[in-house]
Amino acid sequence: MKRPRYILSSRKMGIFLMIFSFLWIYTFTNYSLFRDGGQGTKESERLKAEILEKSKQYVQALAQENSQGEIAEGFSSYDLKKTMAVLLDSILLRLSKLEKKVDAAISNGTLGATLRNITQSENQNESRENQHQPKNLSQPLVLNDDAKNDYKIEKKRDMPAEPDKKNSILTARDLILEPDHTCQYRDSELVGYVHCKGKIEWMNKYWQTDPCYSHYGVDGSDCTVAIYLSEIENWCPVLPWRKGAVNNLLHDPDAVPELVVTKRCYNISEHWEYAKSTPVPIIIYYSTCMANIKTDKSGLYKLMTDEKFAWMKMRIDRMWESKWVPAAKSLASKQDLGNRMQKRILIHLGLLTKESGFKIAETAFSGGPLGELVQWTDIITSLYILGHDLTISTRTDILKNYMKSKGVTSKNCPVSGVRPLDLIYIDIVGLKQFKKVAGPLWNQFNCMLRVIDTFGTEPAFNVDSYARRAGTKSVWGKWNLVPQQFMTMFPHTPDNSFMGFVVENYSNNTKVMKKEKDMAVVYGKKGDMWLGSRKYLDIIREKFTLHATVYVNESGIESLLGVPSYVINHGLLKGDQVQDLLRRAKLFVGLGFPFEGPAPLEAIANGCVFLNPSFDPPKNSKNTDFFKGKPTLRELPSQHPYAERFIGKPYVHTININDATALRQALTDIQNTADLKPYLPHEYTTEGMLQRLHAYIEHQNFCNRRVEMWPPLSALQVKIASNGESCKDICMKHDLVCEPAFFKELNSVERIEKEGQMQCREKKVLDEIYPPSFTDNSACFIQNHHLLYSCAGGVKNQNRICPCRDYIRGQVALCKDCF
């Protein structure tokens, strides 16, 4: 049988050739690569090894330059290259160890057991490394013998719970194990930080224009920009994963509560230099003395050698032994004034500078205004007695030299190291001078400011962007400070802090004073204050003999045309002579001006009745020249609203002086009233002043938003204002005061719904002074700008959510749980 013949068709032949060609090409390529690649592979391996070795040497060299084995605290002032070098060096070392152990495990066939040993070994190594570092920086650290004599770092008393160190310091491990850190802000996180986005955009474009920014770690990346703007310049909120971190720009003991330094008093810069050279990795956050009560005024007078202080020193002399020293001892017996850190305080009195043109010091003995001098005298005296370190300036050149000595130059770079000062007490005139001196560093120092502002500055005038939009412009406004940084003479504006002053009196408050029944003293030191009051005075004359203290200069040029001839004028008297006159008088007569002066309280403190002229309509910036341009919309219902509200009858009779019938009836009532005991609210005594200022110094902190809230939330009482009603008014109706520090606790849809007992159908975030608030149709408004929280002002068709609090009788600035 013949076997069939196999005939290759063209199709089969094509398939065969394709397979053969593929096998040939594959074999040829493999052979070429094997033959020629051997040498090439060896060359690439050699180059790779050389590059790795050089890189390793470079990394190790940079790592040695930065001896600290982790990123510096604050992640702000470090060289990014050095930091990455440290990180890479650590990775290379660990990889080298890992390679050796893995190779050994593979060779011995014990890979599983070795991996377990590697983990245990790494943990043990880490434990041994940690033994060389302080386990808790709040525990005493052992320094060399010389350091022991000067320093002792100890745990701060009543210290809050220690923050989690793992979250407070950014280390290489954080970068490796937590890659999900985000440096982008959500809109909800930027509520209250209206300039943050703009600052980020600017920094992204111009961070290379000044070496300062790279010095503090900015490299153009989102994270370095956000950290700089949140922790160095405070334009943005601190990133969530950075909360608890401490930047090392200006060290603040409030930011690191577990560390304080107690020692003898040394020069600050010397201590900081020593701290940097200390072999133990620590930072001296606060190098200064403890504050102790001072009862020797000689140290104060060494700070007040300028002749401009003549009137102020005379007031201090009169009150030192009889008022100030006993008050300090009394307060110390009631409150714990120990364990206080001494604050470094700059006091700049712009009103006494030549540039102001006011000449207040020069006219103090010739009938000039004394209200500001009285207040400044009492502030300076209180700060000194409380034991703080003061520097007083009345000249712009002194101010410039002082700030220059603290590192403030014309450069943009923020001042670093130990914080050069803690507080700056200043007036509005001085504020303009200080801003010019601070220049680009204004934003770094403005949180330290305490602005003595007689009539106050409301939020609507304080925020520049809002003032331009709403038309609430003022030459004295647009400072963009926290409203509580403005400190007033009377507690008339809850948005501001009440500083006050001391009323001078020498009466025994427990005894009734014998008065001359028909004797009245008129409040007006200058003749022009009397103009237009003749009819009013004629009616008073029907029942009282009128006395005055109008200044007349030696040449007699000072006009007395406004003063009726029947008035007995004693001329300008010294302080003790005025006190004698008030002790005899039954009535103290207001003429309607000056507004809110200290004299009516002095009269009441000497047992007088104050006749307080009312205003209808109330005086304000729209109808009274005196208030035009002042940064407030407040309305005065009388010459002295504080006396009207907080004191009242029988010591204060507020009356329409143009109503003759009502005036005569009030005069009859006053004359028939039995003599009164002297009365003085505690807040205007020396002890009340010391107590209030001590509370502010210890608890008000506008430089660190992460400190504990003050006043404490236990004082909060929420009230709902009616349409058009202000928070100030609704709180007053309930015998409470509005507390702006609590607004942020109410600024959410959830809280509005809870307090308003409604459900928000619409939500709007606004730059306005009224939120948080809601309308009848369930629209809810959230505050976007934290500087616009305001107790003042009401708006139609909106109900404001108002934060009220209680207060101590006679000390309205403090709540019952405030100390």
Side-chain angles (χ1 to χ4, degrees):
M1 183 177 178
K2 293 182 178 179
R3 287 187 292 181
R5 297 176 62 184
Y6 291 91
I7 300 174
L8 291 175
S9 67
S10 60
R11 183 166 176 262
K12 292 180 179 179
M13 180 61 72
I15 294 173
F16 173 77
L17 289 175
M18 286 178 63
I19 294 173
F20 178 81
S21 299
F22 175 79
L23 292 173
W24 183 84
I25 293 171
Y26 177 79
T27 304
F28 179 80
T29 304
N30 251 1
Y31 174 77
S32 300
L33 290 175
F34 177 77
R35 185 192 66 182
D36 299 330
Q39 185 176 357
T41 301
K42 291 179 181 178
E43 181 67 11
S44 66
E45 289 293 331
R46 185 186 67 79
L47 292 174
K48 175 183 176 182
E50 183 176 346
I51 291 171
L52 286 175
E53 182 62 26
K54 293 295 184 182
S55 299
K56 188 174 182 179
Q57 292 176 9
Y58 175 69
V59 165
Q60 290 174 341
L62 286 178
Q64 290 175 0
E65 292 176 13
N66 186 24
S67 58
Q68 188 177 355
E70 62 185 16
I71 295 177
E73 285 193 33
F75 195 58
S76 57
S77 58
Y78 68 92
D79 188 319
L80 188 57
K81 292 185 298 182
K82 292 182 181 181
T83 303
M84 293 306 297
V86 174
L87 177 59
L88 289 172
D89 184 45
S90 176
I91 293 173
L92 287 172
L93 288 173
R94 291 175 182 271
L95 285 176
S96 178
K97 294 178 183 178
L98 185 62
E99 286 173 353
K100 291 178 181 178
K101 293 182 179 182
V102 171
D103 288 340
I106 293 174
S107 299
N108 299 329
T110 56
L111 181 60
T114 302
L115 287 175
R116 288 192 296 273
N117 291 336
I118 290 173
T119 304
Q120 295 173 1
S121 176
E122 289 299 313
N123 291 338
Q124 291 171 0
N125 289 337
E126 182 177 342
S127 176
R128 284 194 295 271
E129 290 173 2
N130 289 340
Q131 291 175 1
H132 298 288
Q133 304 295 335
K135 293 182 179 179
N136 185 347
L137 288 181
S138 66
Q139 300 300 319
L141 299 177
V142 179
L143 305 179
N144 57 45
D145 292 336
D146 293 334
K148 289 179 181 178
N149 296 327
D150 296 343
Y151 291 90
K152 180 182 178 185
I153 300 183
E154 60 186 15
K155 192 167 184 179
K156 190 173 181 179
R157 296 186 180 182
D158 301 326
M159 181 189 73
E162 181 180 356
D164 185 358
K165 298 294 181 185
K166 185 176 181 181
N167 294 329
S168 65
I169 301 174
L170 183 64
T171 64
R173 174 171 295 183
D174 296 326
L175 292 174
I176 296 171
L177 299 181
E178 300 185 47
D180 58 337
H181 288 160
T182 177
C183 299
Q184 302 288 340
Y185 292 107
R186 295 188 296 269
D187 289 340
S188 61
E189 295 173 326
L190 293 180
V191 172
Y193 295 87
V194 293
H195 299 291
C196 182
K197 286 185 178 180
K199 291 294 180 180
I200 290 175
E201 292 176 2
W202 187 95
M203 187 66 75
N204 284 331
K205 292 180 180 178
Y206 303 111
W207 68 271
Q208 292 179 305
T209 59
D210 194 310
C212 159
Y213 302 121
S214 59
H215 172 74
Y216 285 108
V218 178
D219 62 1
S221 65
D222 290 343
C223 284
T224 58
V225 168
I227 290 171
Y228 180 87
L229 291 175
S230 62
E231 298 178 26
I232 306 300
E233 294 200 3
N234 298 317
W235 290 109
C236 299
V238 176
L239 295 168
W241 54 276
R242 294 283 298 155
K243 288 182 178 178
V246 180
N247 75 67
N248 58 354
L249 178 65
L250 294 181
H251 305 300
D252 181 356
D254 294 321
V256 189
E258 65 269 25
L259 286 181
V260 298
V261 177
T262 58
K263 57 179 182 55
R264 299 196 301 267
C265 298
Y266 285 92
N267 179 272
I268 298 298
S269 60
E270 292 177 357
H271 283 272
W272 177 240
E273 291 298 324
Y274 180 80
K276 288 192 293 186
S277 63
T278 302
V280 182
I282 63 173
I283 295 176
I284 303 299
Y285 286 91
Y286 202 63
S287 310
T288 187
C289 311
M290 302 300 290
N292 298 307
I293 296 295
K294 297 178 183 178
T295 56
D296 181 3
K297 65 176 181 290
S298 61
L300 176 58
Y301 283 1
K302 290 180 181 179
L303 304 173
M304 304 174 71
T305 56
D306 195 302
E307 61 182 10
K308 294 179 180 179
F309 294 115
W311 189 93
M312 300 171 75
K313 290 166 70 174
M314 186 178 70
R315 176 177 170 85
I316 294 172
D317 280 335
R318 282 199 311 268
M319 300 173 62
W320 188 264
E321 295 296 338
S322 62
K323 297 294 181 183
W324 285 112
V325 173
K329 293 179 179 179
S330 176
L331 182 62
S333 68
K334 300 172 184 176
Q335 292 183 218
D336 181 12
L337 299 182
N339 301 308
R340 295 177 298 119
M341 300 308 297
Q342 186 185 68
K343 304 293 186 182
R344 288 155 296 169
I345 300 176
L346 169 64
I347 301 171
H348 181 62
L349 292 84
L351 77 167
L352 297 186
T353 60
K354 181 180 179 181
E355 291 80 0
S356 72
F358 289 158
K359 297 185 177 181
I360 290 179
E362 293 80 354
T363 60
F365 296 99
S366 57
L370 297 178
E372 289 84 358
L373 288 181
V374 166
Q375 189 177 33
W376 271 114
T377 302
D378 299 340
I379 292 170
I380 293 172
T381 306
S382 297
L383 293 173
Y384 176 80
I385 288 178
L386 288 171
H388 298 293
D389 181 15
L390 309 183
T391 298
I392 305 177
S393 164
T394 58
R395 289 164 34 193
T396 54
D397 59 331
I398 293 177
L399 177 64
K400 290 178 183 177
N401 291 335
Y402 175 83
M403 296 303 292
K404 186 176 181 180
S405 72
K406 300 303 179 183
V408 178
T409 65
S410 59
K411 297 181 179 179
N412 292 330
C413 224
V415 178
S416 60
V418 173
R419 193 162 69 180
L421 64 158
D422 299 289
L423 294 170
I424 304 168
Y425 284 82
I426 202 164
D427 55 21
I428 293 291
V429 176
L431 197 58
K432 294 183 177 181
Q433 297 166 352
F434 179 81
K435 187 170 185 179
K436 184 177 181 181
V437 171
L441 303 187
W442 161 259
N443 191 59
Q444 187 183 12
F445 287 92
N446 63 8
C447 64
M448 305 175 190
L449 294 166
R450 303 295 184 268
V451 185
I452 308 306
D453 184 11
T454 301
F455 295 98
T457 297
E458 294 179 359
F461 294 84
N462 174 50
V463 179
D464 188 13
S465 57
Y466 180 84
R468 290 197 305 268
R469 175 167 55 85
T472 53
K473 296 180 181 180
S474 169
V475 295
W476 306 108
K478 298 181 292 185
W479 290 107
N480 297 301
L481 301 176
V482 176
Q484 290 112 303
Q485 290 180 253
F486 297 97
M487 310 189 109
T488 60
M489 184 170 280
F490 290 95
H492 47 60
T493 304
D495 294 312
N496 303 149
S497 298
F498 164 49
M499 173 57 73
F501 59 95
V502 174
V503 172
E504 186 177 3
N505 82 305
Y506 300 93
S507 303
N508 187 333
N509 290 358
T510 63
K511 295 182 180 179
V512 176
M513 303 184 67
K514 185 65 177 177
K515 295 287 187 177
E516 296 181 21
K517 191 175 182 179
D518 63 347
M519 180 178 176
V521 175
V522 180
Y523 179 23
K525 293 186 300 181
K526 300 186 71 174
D528 57 4
M529 294 179 181
W530 296 62
L531 296 174
S533 60
R534 183 59 183 262
K535 292 182 179 180
Y536 167 54
L537 295 174
D538 286 346
I539 295 175
I540 298 175
R541 184 198 177 198
E542 296 173 4
K543 294 182 177 294
F544 290 88
T545 301
L546 299 179
H547 295 251
T549 58
V550 179
Y551 170 73
V552 180
N553 62 22
E554 295 179 357
S555 63
I557 297 177
E558 178 69 28
S559 174
L560 289 175
L561 293 179
V563 181
S565 58
Y566 51 74
V567 173
I568 302 171
N569 184 33
H570 299 266
L572 193 64
L573 301 177
K574 295 181 180 179
D576 53 349
Q577 294 173 321
V578 172
Q579 297 291 319
D580 290 336
L581 194 64
L582 293 175
R583 278 194 287 268
R584 292 164 47 204
K586 175 82 171 182
L587 179 65
F588 191 66
V589 179
L591 295 173
F593 186 85
F595 305 119
E596 297 181 307
L601 297 187
E602 291 183 4
I604 294 168
N606 282 285
C608 294
V609 176
F610 175 48
L611 193 60
N612 182 34
S614 64
F615 303 138
D616 186 17
K619 302 284 187 182
N620 56 49
S621 59
K622 296 180 180 180
N623 61 21
T624 305
D625 290 340
F626 180 84
F627 290 107
K628 287 183 179 178
K630 289 184 170 55
T632 177
L633 294 174
R634 190 167 62 97
E635 296 185 334
L636 270 68
S638 65
Q639 181 176 355
H640 210 289
Y642 175 86
E644 178 183 2
R645 179 193 172 190
F646 290 100
I647 301 178
K649 291 181 179 180
Y651 292 94
V652 180
H653 287 249
T654 302
I655 190 73
N656 180 359
I657 62 176
N658 295 316
D659 186 338
T661 302
L663 177 59
R664 287 188 171 91
Q665 182 59 52
L667 293 172
T668 300
D669 294 342
I670 293 170
Q671 204 165 43
N672 293 335
T673 299
D675 291 340
L676 301 172
K677 293 180 181 179
Y679 175 74
L680 180 60
H682 179 70
E683 54 203 354
Y684 285 101
T685 65
T686 46
E687 183 176 340
M689 179 84 174
L690 289 170
Q691 180 189 49
R692 183 168 59 255
L693 195 50
H694 164 64
Y696 287 154
I697 292 172
E698 296 301 314
H699 298 292
Q700 281 189 336
N701 189 330
F702 305 111
C703 294
N704 185 356
R705 296 186 185 182
R706 288 167 278 180
V707 298
E708 185 178 352
M709 176 175 285
W710 190 85
L713 271 176
S714 59
L716 172 63
Q717 298 184 39
V718 181
K719 303 296 178 184
I720 308 298
S722 58
N723 288 346
E725 187 175 31
S726 71
C727 286
K728 175 184 175 181
D729 292 338
I730 186 63
C731 292
M732 190 184 300
K733 284 182 180 179
H734 291 84
D735 196 24
L736 302 168
V737 294
C738 180
E739 178 50 65
F742 294 152
F743 267 117
K744 60 184 179 181
E745 298 297 320
L746 307 179
N747 193 43
S748 67
V749 170
E750 295 76 16
R751 198 61 189 265
I752 292 175
E753 291 178 337
K754 175 184 175 182
E755 302 298 342
Q757 297 182 354
M758 46 81 70
Q759 187 169 2
C760 299
R761 296 181 180 177
E762 180 184 6
K763 170 190 170 183
K764 292 183 179 180
V765 180
L766 304 175
D767 286 354
E768 268 293 349
I769 63 173
Y770 309 116
S773 59
F774 63 91
T775 64
D776 292 339
N777 58 1
S778 301
C780 296
F781 303 101
I782 304 297
Q783 179 61 262
N784 183 51
H785 200 311
H786 72 283
L787 298 182
L788 284 175
Y789 287 129
S790 178
C791 292
V795 59
K796 292 182 179 180
N797 302 321
Q798 285 189 36
N799 299 94
R800 300 191 62 187
I801 309 294
C802 298
C804 307
R805 66 163 171 84
D806 58 32
Y807 62 93
I808 299 173
R809 298 293 173 185
Q811 189 67 290
V812 69
L814 303 180
C815 64
K816 295 175 182 178
D817 294 333
C818 277
F819 56 88

